[in-house]
Amino acid sequence: MMMPTVNAVANKGAVLNLTNVPFTITDTAAYTDFTAYALTSAKFNWTISTTGLVVNAMGSSLPGVTMTKTVSLDGFNSLAGLKLTAYNITDIDAAGMHLQIMAELYNLSTIGMTIPQSIFNTESHGKVLGPAVATNLALEPHSPSPFILDATIATGNGDLTPYLTVIFQNALSGVDTPLDAQGVGAPGVSWLDNAIKQLRLSTSLPPLPYDPIESVVIDAMSMDFTCASCIWAPTAGSSITAKTNLPFAKGAPIVKLKQNIDVLDSAGNRVGRLDTEFEDAISNGAYVSTSTTPGPLTIYDDAHQTYIDFIDALNVATKYSLGLNGTADSILNLGDLGNITVTGIKLNVKTELDGLRSLADIKFINTLNLVTAGDDSGATVLVAINNPSKLTLTIGDLVLNSGVNYTDEGYAGKSYLTDLVLSPGRNEVIAFAKINSSIPVGEDIFWNKLADGFNLYLQPFKGSSKNPALDAGLQKLRQVLVMPPMMVGEISAKPYAIDWTLKVPDSAVNDGIVYATTIVGNPYFSQELSFLSVNSLDINEYALDPKLIIKSKLGAALDFFNFVPPGAYSLKGNETRELTFAIQMAPTAPLQFWINLLPELIETANTVGVLPLEITLMPKVQVGKDPRLTSQDFSSTSVYGTPSRPGDPLPPPPVLNLHVGPDFSNVLKYVNRLATPTTLPSVATSTAVMPPVVPSPTTTSTVAPVPPVVTPSPGTTDPVVPPPSSVPTSGPSPVPSP
């Protein structure tokens, strides 16, 4: 090393500032040993000697002066000041898990050093995890130096899942993880490379400095109150999205989640305990979503009233704040490194649920059945209840007091909802509003309020629900159902199209069986329609014979086309499809009348192809899961006629289109055969075979229905009792029509 000029002052000496002084290594092995010793030692002595020193003093030059100087210096002490401060997992690929570790090294030495590149193998409990590389590490004397380590936990080092499990478990539990690092080398600098290989460091990987789960949003939640034996352990499930604070740059690779949490009310009181099994999870950046299989929400023994208050608050609230406190377990997919399970991840957050707002948004849709007198007086109605929350509530059977107001004096009867399930959004529900026609309030509804419409006020009473906890929590529920004039509402589709097609095969000449095809629809929105028979209920005194009536130009009616029972079919909610009915021709005497009439109709069939059609049909149906069977007036006058109020002049009946072809002439052949004295008619039975149904989707529309024909009657004294499984009708059921 060539020393620069040094100026010495009498009685003070001189300072050697050897900065940027070229240093020539003459013995690589010796310098390697020196560097290794300096890196690993806390103190070391450094001796500087020279024999070629030139001293200039007092105007004279003295060459060849010999000098030897030994100084004590602070060593690097195995880089004991190394501290890992944070880390980020940048990627997981076939090579392993890549980390960027933020580190700081306080240089304890008097010597500064810049290391272009140094490589270490990280170890946990003697197991090599993978390389860590520091680039351009600049160590200033007695100063801290921040730097970044690029590390990889490599896939080629055997089964690392036990070690990775410990690392992540500690990180999420607030515990440091001890790590060792064995020097591998410093490529490009031979003496430093060998020295680094002798260096072994000890440090620790820090835990996360923040809560691993920042927030939780409840996307959906379900509660089932129908289990009689688990009143204080209702079945609950949920779909949640958690925002995580985990050190994964590309999102936490959580593939399964398990929850062990207490549900807290808005005041922080424990309500119940929810322990779930591992469920699939989906990660999207910092967010992880999962849905739990419904399981028991176990209410604590000392929290029964808290639970009741919790239900009550959810019922009336617009927004409700609740707490989740406990832990979560997770399974992380670390690619080729394998899956690891981390347990006991702390969870303590507050979140919000949309409340039920007293389920005040309830709307009348239509009447399925109306009985104005007798033991079963009341109305079976289809209503829409809007659930503004994200809760799906399985309530079961619910009974509410109903009346013209909320007072005892306004009481009219009870309303029954069977197997009630309320999902988020619009719920189309069948309710039986039993209106006691034998008491003044009920009599007034039928005699005075029905024609102009009225409000039906609904409220629970003690015993409305079989679940005592739910029953107590619902006592503040208040609803008003606005009944329109004559309780006539809307439908989602016509029960059948305006166009029908009649096929009269050659076989009809002998057996009288023809086939009528149309598009049938479900008028009852989301409720399933079970069309049980073309025939009405036996107890329906207003029943009409189910038939097609073909009109002539002069107004004569060909009315011997009878629907063959049962003609049953079913439609899902809002479904429409093409359907073919079997029709039995059964002309009555005198047959000559039909023989004279038919040629005109046959001519129209051949030239125009369309005949005027009316339909009389009051089938027996079941709507949804309602146990009460009804007779619905599906006659063309009700379905397509112009609505009118009782007492108004009847409008002319609507005319449908019956599409016919040349085979319509077989009708005349059949009647002629019957007119032959030696011929006996063939009569179809209920076992007549119908052609297969061919689904054909169509669009649906909403139209106003025709008012029902109702005959109010005071009836006799009638105590309020639950409805039977089948309700007689005192008049035709209301039927939708435009």
Side-chain angles (χ1 to χ4, degrees):
M1 178 176 61
M2 295 297 296
M3 293 184 63
T5 300
V6 178
N7 294 316
V9 179
N11 297 320
K12 290 185 177 181
V15 176
L16 293 178
N17 185 12
L18 305 181
T19 302
N20 295 324
V21 176
F23 188 87
T24 302
I25 298 173
T26 58
D27 188 334
T28 301
Y31 193 73
T32 298
D33 292 341
F34 163 74
T35 304
Y37 187 81
L39 286 173
T40 57
S41 300
K43 295 277 188 180
F44 67 94
N45 292 329
W46 194 4
T47 300
I48 302 174
S49 62
T50 181
T51 57
L53 187 66
V54 177
V55 178
N56 296 312
M58 301 177 64
S60 300
S61 177
L62 302 174
V65 176
T66 299
M67 185 191 77
T68 298
K69 179 67 175 178
T70 299
V71 294
S72 179
L73 300 177
D74 293 328
F76 292 93
N77 197 23
S78 296
L79 303 180
L82 176 62
K83 182 180 180 181
L84 307 182
T85 57
Y87 59 92
N88 189 28
I89 299 168
T90 58
D91 200 6
I92 299 174
D93 58 22
M97 184 168 66
H98 305 283
L99 300 88
Q100 191 175 70
I101 303 174
M102 279 59 75
E104 182 180 275
L105 179 59
Y106 189 89
N107 183 8
L108 301 172
S109 177
T110 315
I111 302 172
M113 183 186 297
T114 298
I115 305 175
Q117 186 182 65
S118 56
I119 304 174
F120 294 83
N121 266 338
T122 57
E123 299 178 9
S124 175
H125 300 282
K127 179 69 173 179
V128 174
L129 302 179
V133 180
T135 303
N136 295 324
L137 174 59
L139 301 178
E140 299 293 333
H142 296 297
S143 299
S145 298
F147 66 100
I148 293 176
L149 279 169
D150 292 312
T152 297
I153 298 179
T155 54
N157 293 318
D159 182 12
L160 299 181
T161 54
Y163 306 94
L164 289 168
T165 299
V166 171
I167 290 172
F168 279 96
Q169 190 74 58
N170 289 345
L172 295 171
S173 303
V175 178
D176 289 328
T177 300
L179 289 179
D180 295 319
Q182 177 62 51
V184 173
V189 183
S190 60
W191 56 267
L192 184 59
D193 182 70
N194 291 326
I196 290 291
K197 289 177 181 177
Q198 300 179 45
L199 193 62
R200 186 172 180 84
L201 312 179
S202 293
T203 185
S204 62
L205 199 64
L208 298 183
Y210 33 69
D211 291 335
I213 301 177
E214 180 178 322
S215 63
V216 172
V217 174
I218 299 176
D219 302 309
M221 184 174 177
S222 65
M223 294 186 72
D224 188 340
F225 298 97
T226 58
C227 174
S229 61
C230 44
I231 294 169
W232 303 110
T235 302
S238 63
S239 296
I240 64 169
T241 298
K243 184 179 182 182
T244 62
N245 282 323
L246 299 176
F248 291 90
K250 295 184 177 180
I254 297 175
V255 293
K256 287 185 180 293
L257 269 179
K258 180 178 183 291
Q259 302 172 52
N260 316 282
I261 57 174
D262 284 341
V263 178
L264 313 179
D265 68 7
S266 57
N269 301 309
R270 294 189 316 171
V271 176
R273 180 75 175 179
L274 185 63
D275 295 309
T276 72
E277 298 302 321
F278 273 111
E279 303 286 355
D280 290 340
I282 299 174
S283 295
N284 183 14
Y287 296 90
V288 180
S289 300
T290 187
S291 296
T292 63
T293 300
L297 172 62
T298 304
I299 308 304
Y300 287 106
D301 290 340
D302 60 353
H304 287 189
Q305 187 58 48
T306 303
Y307 172 54
I308 291 172
D309 295 341
F310 174 75
I311 296 174
D312 174 67
L314 275 177
N315 172 40
V316 300
T318 299
K319 292 280 188 182
Y320 185 82
S321 176
L322 57 86
L324 303 174
N325 182 37
T327 61
D329 303 337
S330 67
I331 297 177
L332 285 77
N333 179 3
L334 301 181
D336 290 348
L337 292 170
N339 288 358
I340 64 171
T341 300
V342 181
T343 61
I345 304 171
K346 292 181 181 179
L347 171 64
N348 187 10
V349 298
K350 273 189 169 291
T351 188
E352 277 192 340
L353 274 176
D354 292 327
L356 296 172
R357 304 181 191 182
S358 294
L359 296 173
D361 187 1
I362 177 172
K363 290 182 173 60
F364 172 90
I365 299 177
N366 209 343
T367 302
L368 305 181
N369 195 28
L370 181 62
V371 180
T372 61
D375 293 342
D376 299 310
S377 58
T380 303
V381 295
L382 182 63
V383 298
I385 301 176
N386 181 52
N387 177 359
S389 76
K390 297 177 181 177
L391 296 167
T392 297
L393 303 174
T394 302
I395 296 173
D397 295 344
L398 185 66
V399 185
L400 301 173
N401 281 340
S402 53
V404 294
N405 53 51
Y406 291 129
T407 67
D408 292 341
E409 293 76 17
Y411 173 83
K414 285 181 164 50
S415 293
Y416 299 85
L417 297 99
T418 304
D419 294 333
L420 179 61
V421 178
L422 294 178
S423 301
R426 177 181 167 109
N427 296 267
E428 290 156 6
V429 176
I430 296 174
F432 175 66
K434 180 169 179 54
I435 299 173
N436 191 344
S437 62
S438 65
I439 62 177
V441 175
E443 184 178 3
D444 181 59
I445 288 175
F446 287 127
W447 280 96
N448 300 317
K449 297 184 182 299
L450 184 63
D452 296 321
F454 61 98
N455 291 345
L456 192 65
Y457 292 78
L458 306 172
Q459 62 180 327
F461 57 92
K462 291 191 180 301
S464 283
S465 170
K466 297 175 183 177
N467 183 307
L470 177 63
D471 185 68
L474 289 179
Q475 290 305 306
K476 293 180 182 177
L477 181 70
R478 296 293 184 272
Q479 296 174 306
V480 179
L481 182 60
V482 179
M483 299 292 198
M486 297 304 298
M487 296 177 65
V488 174
E490 61 182 358
I491 61 172
S492 53
K494 301 284 191 182
Y496 50 78
I498 198 169
D499 288 293
W500 290 65
T501 299
L502 186 69
K503 295 297 182 183
V504 188
D506 291 342
S507 59
V509 176
N510 294 315
D511 60 20
I513 298 294
V514 300
Y515 300 97
T517 301
T518 190
I519 301 295
V520 294
N522 183 348
Y524 306 113
F525 294 87
S526 63
Q527 298 292 321
E528 182 174 350
L529 169 63
S530 296
F531 188 103
L532 303 177
S533 175
V534 293
N535 290 329
S536 183
L537 289 170
D538 294 338
I539 56 177
N540 185 2
E541 60 184 288
Y542 294 91
L544 302 172
D545 291 334
K547 61 176 57 184
L548 304 180
I549 303 172
I550 303 174
K551 294 295 189 71
S552 71
K553 293 180 180 179
L554 300 177
L558 203 68
D559 62 356
F560 55 73
F561 291 84
N562 300 328
F563 284 91
V564 175
Y569 63 89
S570 63
L571 293 174
K572 296 178 182 178
N574 298 302
E575 181 185 3
T576 60
R577 73 165 182 260
E578 185 177 273
L579 193 71
T580 297
F581 293 92
I583 305 294
Q584 172 69 65
M585 294 188 291
T588 57
L591 296 179
Q592 190 61 44
F593 175 80
W594 310 116
I595 293 173
N596 295 337
L597 177 62
L598 278 165
E600 173 204 330
L601 297 175
I602 292 172
E603 181 184 358
T604 304
N606 291 332
T607 56
V608 180
V610 179
L611 296 174
L613 175 67
E614 292 182 21
I615 294 176
T616 57
L617 184 62
M618 294 189 69
K620 177 169 62 177
V621 304
Q622 182 180 21
V623 180
K625 297 180 180 179
D626 184 24
R628 292 164 286 269
L629 305 183
T630 66
S631 292
Q632 296 294 303
D633 189 351
F634 284 179
S635 297
S636 55
T637 299
S638 295
V639 175
Y640 285 98
T642 303
S644 62
R645 293 171 59 88
D648 291 347
L650 293 178
V655 176
L656 310 184
N657 301 319
L658 182 64
H659 297 267
V660 292
D663 62 358
F664 188 72
S665 61
N666 284 334
V667 176
L668 179 57
K669 294 177 183 179
Y670 175 68
V671 178
N672 279 327
R673 193 180 68 81
L674 293 181
T676 303
T678 58
T679 305
L680 295 175
S682 174
V683 180
T685 68
S686 60
T687 58
V689 178
M690 296 171 57
V693 173
V694 180
S696 174
T698 65
T699 57
T700 61
S701 59
T702 299
V703 292
V706 169
V709 178
V710 180
T711 307
S713 173
T716 58
T717 302
D718 172 36
V720 178
V721 294
S725 61
S726 180
V727 178
T729 56
S730 64
S733 303
V735 171
S737 82

